[in-house]
């Protein structure tokens, strides 16, 4: 029996009560006071209108498109109906619309299209907003953005660099001469080596054309396989070398590589990743032979920053989902958001999310200044490794805590949280796992004294602003002098917390006190939701909600 009563949905004998409304279209810029402050603080305010416009788009059209792009995953078509090998990855139209909007608004190219002071900071804000709405497509967007410093090393590849900066998306599988803009992927990892790329066995044999090589071998992971070109590492006569391999040759013919299969991944469903074999594929050298790792490392600062921004974006969206639910859901006679223990949890998530964003945007400022300020370049070098380790490590725990705020509703696919949870571990693995980051921090501190000096200057700027911060920084020299590989995770964790505290304290953030007491002192447990009970959790929640 169906009944209709004003203001109440009734199905049979069941009334639908005490359910939050749909999350709905949101303005992710308007709702994020911490982002608005960080954009100004770190020098990107000249791009405020561009970032604000994308925040409204990300929380509206992009968020809706993301559901479609994830639900209908990419599929590999190896052959056409006549039996010709085509190696084409087919995406839902929503994915292409997401890519079109993101690239047009500068997520992959603003830094290069408008190389003005603050451009990297603004582009970081765009990437953070995008990740909240559609994280899967962030892979080709990041690769395309980060490839530019590498492409610029090879004057013969200027067309590729120009078309990255054009901020135009063209999904057609044609040669780049027929396209207004391009996207880039990457193929580094092989079965036998993993992160140890020096163990790569793919060979690059010089051809008759200047700077051209033929590739024979495989890649265990090649990202975004429908990209126009791929940066790969292969063994040339002079050693491990970086090369650009186009999908289509200049005459339009398919290049000689085969997509063996698409990876069946835990998350990141809207984006394809593949295994590939090279069968004499043409590629063009970037940088000198034997300098492949050094050449590709010029991307690392940018890709690590995007890992930080992506994890910060996931935490922010998880917080938004939890706050929305708890403000509209009641239990035991009052709203969840009014219950002391739930307020403690929500405030703790808000602190973690803002601290992640604050450090990420500070690093973006260092990247922005790195070309003309050696100290900022040194800071970016060390802080990207520190930040990637810690922020990416925190994201899965934060997203899971947000799921708990929704209970079972946060574990079903109608909720956004399962997608966020599947995505959360990716950034800690991508572009070097946690151990790789920690070992890189040790290497930098021991071999590049300017990185230690950059950290000292950063910490000195916040000296005296909080006793817990001062105590932590005072103990760092002893930790550094006793640093070992086995203990490097503890060292990097302490450095990350000190950097986050330094940024928040110098910014005068309203959460700085809560961060220092709960993360640097003895007033916090190992789980989220263990903030000191005398903190003003209500004001922290309000700030988190915008």
């Amino acid at each position: 029996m169906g009944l209709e009563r004003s203001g109440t949905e009734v199905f049979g004998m069941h009334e639908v009560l005490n359910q939050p409304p749909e999350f709905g279209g949101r303005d992710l810029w308007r709702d994020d006071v911490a982002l608005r402050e960080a954009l100004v603080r770190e020098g990107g305010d000249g791009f405020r209108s561009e970032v604000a416009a994308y925040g409204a788009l990300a929380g509206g059209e992009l968020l809706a498109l993301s559901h479609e792009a994830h639900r209908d995953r990419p599929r590999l078509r190896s052959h056409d109906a006549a039996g010709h090998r085509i190696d084409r990855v087919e995406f839902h139209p929503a994915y292409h619309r997401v890519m079109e909007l993101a690239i047009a608004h500068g997520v992959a190219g603003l830094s290069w299209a408008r190389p003005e002071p603050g451009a990297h900071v603004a582009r970081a804000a765009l990437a953070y907003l995008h990740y909240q709405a559609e994280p899967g497509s962030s892979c080709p967007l990041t690769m395309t953005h980060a490839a530019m410093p590498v492409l610029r090393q090879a004057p013969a590849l200027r067309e590729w660099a120009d078309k990255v900066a054009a901020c135009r998306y063209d999904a057609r599988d044609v040669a780049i001469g027929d396209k207004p803009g391009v996207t880039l992927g990457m193929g580094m990892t092989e079965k036998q080596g993993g992160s140890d790329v020096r163990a790569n066995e793919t060979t690059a044999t010089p051809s008759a054309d200047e700077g051209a090589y033929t590739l024979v071998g495989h890649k265990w992971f090649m990202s975004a396989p429908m990209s126009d070109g791929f940066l790969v590492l292969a063994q040339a006569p002079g050693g491990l070398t970086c090369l650009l391999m186009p999908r289509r040759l200049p005459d339009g013919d398919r290049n000689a590589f085969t997509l063996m299969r698409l990876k069946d991944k835990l998350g990141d469903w809207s984006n394809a990743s593949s295994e590939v074999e090279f069968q004499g594929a043409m590629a063009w050298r970037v940088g000198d032979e034997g300098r492949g790792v050094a050449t590709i490392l010029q991307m690392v600062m940018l890709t690590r920053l995007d890992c930080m921004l992506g994890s910060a974006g996931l935490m922010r969206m998880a917080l938004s989902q939890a706050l929305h639910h708890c403000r509209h859901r009641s239990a035991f006679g009052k709203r969840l958001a009014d219950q002391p223990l739930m307020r403690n949890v929500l405030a703790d998530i808000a602190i973690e999310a803002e601290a992640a964003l604050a450090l990420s945007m500070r690093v973006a400022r260092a990247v922005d200044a790195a070309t003309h300020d050696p100290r900022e370049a040194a800071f970016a070098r060390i802080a990207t490794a520190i930040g990637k380790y810690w922020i990416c490590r925190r994201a899965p725990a934060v997203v899971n805590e947000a799921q708990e705020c929704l209970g079972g509703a946060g574990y079903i696919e109608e909720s956004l949280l399962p997608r966020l949870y599947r995505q959360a571990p990716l950034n800690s693995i991508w572009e070097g796992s946690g151990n790789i980051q920690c070992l890189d921090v040790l290497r930098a501190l021991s071999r590049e004294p300017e990185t230690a000096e950059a950290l000292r200057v950063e910490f000195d700027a916040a000296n005296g602003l909080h006793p817990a911060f001062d105590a932590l920084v005072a103990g760092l020299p002893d930790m550094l002098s006793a640093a070992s590989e086995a203990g490097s995770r503890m060292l990097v964790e302490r450095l990350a917390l000190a950097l986050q505290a330094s940024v928040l304290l110098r910014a005068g953030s309203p959460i700085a006190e809560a961060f220092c007491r709960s993360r640097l002192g003895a007033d916090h447990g190992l789980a989220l939701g263990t903030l000191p009970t005398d903190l003003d959790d209500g004001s922290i929640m309000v700030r988190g909600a915008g």
Side-chain angles (χ1 to χ4, degrees):
M1 178 174 66
L3 302 174
E4 291 292 338
R5 297 211 313 249
S6 176
T8 306
E9 286 187 278
V10 182
F11 299 96
M13 301 303 295
H14 172 65
E15 295 187 8
V16 179
L17 302 170
N18 195 27
Q19 285 290 333
E22 287 191 23
F23 187 73
R26 297 294 181 97
D27 185 332
L28 302 185
W29 164 260
R30 181 199 62 202
D31 291 349
D32 196 338
V33 63
L35 175 61
R36 298 198 304 271
E37 292 173 357
L39 188 73
V40 175
R41 181 172 68 244
E42 307 303 349
D45 196 41
F47 297 85
R48 174 188 289 262
S49 60
E50 290 87 346
V51 178
Y54 201 66
L57 186 67
E61 183 180 358
L62 282 180
L63 195 57
L65 289 167
S66 180
H67 289 284
E68 301 297 326
H70 276 260
R71 185 171 58 194
D72 191 349
R73 300 191 212 178
R75 294 183 295 273
L76 173 62
R77 282 192 64 204
S78 59
H79 296 77
D80 66 13
H84 301 116
R85 187 93 198 190
I86 58 174
D87 284 324
R88 183 171 299 152
V89 182
E90 296 181 339
F91 295 84
H92 190 280
Y95 174 86
H96 292 300
R97 177 61 176 162
V98 166
M99 289 290 290
E100 179 185 17
L101 290 169
I103 289 177
H105 284 80
V107 179
L110 178 68
S111 309
W112 320 121
R114 292 176 57 187
E116 308 162 20
H120 278 285
V121 175
R123 189 265 159 191
L126 295 173
Y128 164 79
L129 290 166
H130 185 85
Y131 215 95
Q132 293 179 56
E134 212 305 279
S137 53
S138 290
C139 171
L141 296 170
T142 288
M143 292 291 98
T144 302
H145 178 255
M148 183 67 93
V150 177
L151 295 174
R152 284 178 168 170
Q153 292 187 59
L157 301 176
R158 180 173 178 176
E159 182 180 12
W160 289 85
D162 289 346
K163 290 188 175 182
V164 168
C167 295
R168 298 279 299 279
Y169 179 64
D170 185 340
R172 293 177 300 153
D173 183 14
V174 296
I176 73 157
D178 298 324
K179 305 184 78 165
V182 296
T183 58
L184 278 298
M186 181 184 284
M188 303 291 159
T189 306
E190 298 185 6
K191 297 182 181 75
Q192 72 283 350
S195 297
D196 183 9
V197 294
R198 295 187 186 279
N200 283 6
E201 296 180 347
T202 294
T203 59
T205 303
S207 72
D209 295 337
E210 177 68 24
Y213 292 71
T214 56
L215 301 178
V216 175
H218 80 281
K219 293 297 173 183
W220 185 228
F221 281 90
M222 191 169 83
S223 64
M226 283 307 294
S227 297
D228 298 296
F230 307 89
L231 290 168
V232 301
L233 289 177
Q235 298 289 355
L240 194 64
T241 300
C242 179
L243 304 106
L244 174 67
M245 182 189 74
R247 179 173 180 79
R248 290 274 174 179
L249 298 173
D251 63 4
D253 286 348
R254 289 181 59 248
N255 207 349
F257 66 90
T258 299
L259 300 182
M260 304 305 294
R261 64 170 176 161
L262 300 186
K263 294 292 194 181
D264 190 4
K265 298 174 289 185
L266 169 66
D268 204 45
W269 286 353
S270 65
N271 174 54
S273 302
S274 63
E275 294 174 32
V276 62
E277 286 190 355
F278 305 136
Q279 300 147 339
M282 293 299 299
W284 280 262
R285 177 168 49 82
V286 185
D288 296 331
E289 276 196 11
R291 297 285 296 166
V293 173
T295 300
I296 213 72
L297 277 176
Q298 295 184 65
M299 296 178 67
V300 167
M301 191 163 62
L302 299 175
T303 54
R304 285 176 174 174
L305 173 57
D306 272 21
C307 289
M308 296 165 62
L309 292 160
S311 293
L314 286 177
M315 289 189 235
R316 173 65 197 180
M317 180 54 74
L319 170 66
S320 298
Q321 296 283 318
L323 284 168
H324 175 75
H325 180 87
C326 292
R327 285 177 159 182
H328 292 93
R329 176 82 166 173
S330 296
F332 309 112
K334 57 183 177 181
R335 291 189 315 161
L336 291 175
D338 294 330
Q339 302 196 27
L341 188 51
M342 182 62 81
R343 290 164 64 90
N344 194 304
V345 170
L346 292 168
D348 217 354
I349 295 174
I351 291 169
E352 197 69 40
E354 182 168 340
L357 173 64
L359 178 54
S360 299
M361 294 294 281
R362 168 64 186 97
V363 173
R365 173 160 63 92
V367 169
D368 201 71
T371 57
H372 61 270
D373 187 330
R375 179 169 290 164
E376 287 292 279
F379 179 74
R381 160 74 179 93
I382 192 74
T384 49
I386 293 170
K388 182 189 182 306
Y389 169 74
W390 183 243
I391 293 172
C392 297
R393 180 127 339 260
R394 297 295 290 162
V398 168
V399 175
N400 178 241
E401 200 67 61
Q403 281 185 299
E404 280 202 33
C405 294
L406 276 68
Y411 196 68
I412 58 175
E413 292 298 330
E414 285 87 349
S415 168
L416 187 61
L417 282 161
R419 187 198 313 168
L420 301 183
Y421 190 60
R422 287 192 298 268
Q423 194 76 25
L426 175 60
N427 285 317
S428 66
I429 298 170
W430 190 42
E431 295 302 293
S433 63
N435 284 355
I436 295 295
Q437 304 307 311
C438 292
L439 294 175
D440 192 35
V441 171
L442 285 187
R443 183 165 50 249
L445 291 174
S446 63
R447 301 179 185 176
E448 303 169 44
E450 65 273 17
T451 60
E453 174 63 13
L455 290 178
R456 185 193 65 76
V457 170
E458 193 76 6
F459 296 147
D460 283 353
N463 183 49
L465 296 180
H466 197 281
F469 172 79
D470 293 346
L472 171 60
V473 171
L476 287 175
D478 288 341
M479 290 191 71
L480 287 167
S481 64
S484 66
E485 180 177 322
S488 59
R489 283 196 175 209
M490 178 61 78
L491 170 64
V492 177
E493 176 182 318
R494 296 286 99 185
L495 290 171
L497 292 171
L499 284 175
Q500 288 180 316
S502 175
V503 176
L504 293 170
L505 287 166
R506 286 181 289 126
S509 170
I511 72 156
E513 171 70 16
F515 181 89
C516 290
R517 285 185 56 188
S518 59
R519 270 67 174 171
L520 310 186
D523 288 348
H524 193 267
L526 296 178
L528 289 162
T530 55
L531 290 173
T533 56
D534 61 336
L535 289 175
D536 185 359
D537 51 20
S539 65
I540 296 171
M541 288 168 55
V542 169
R543 179 175 173 82

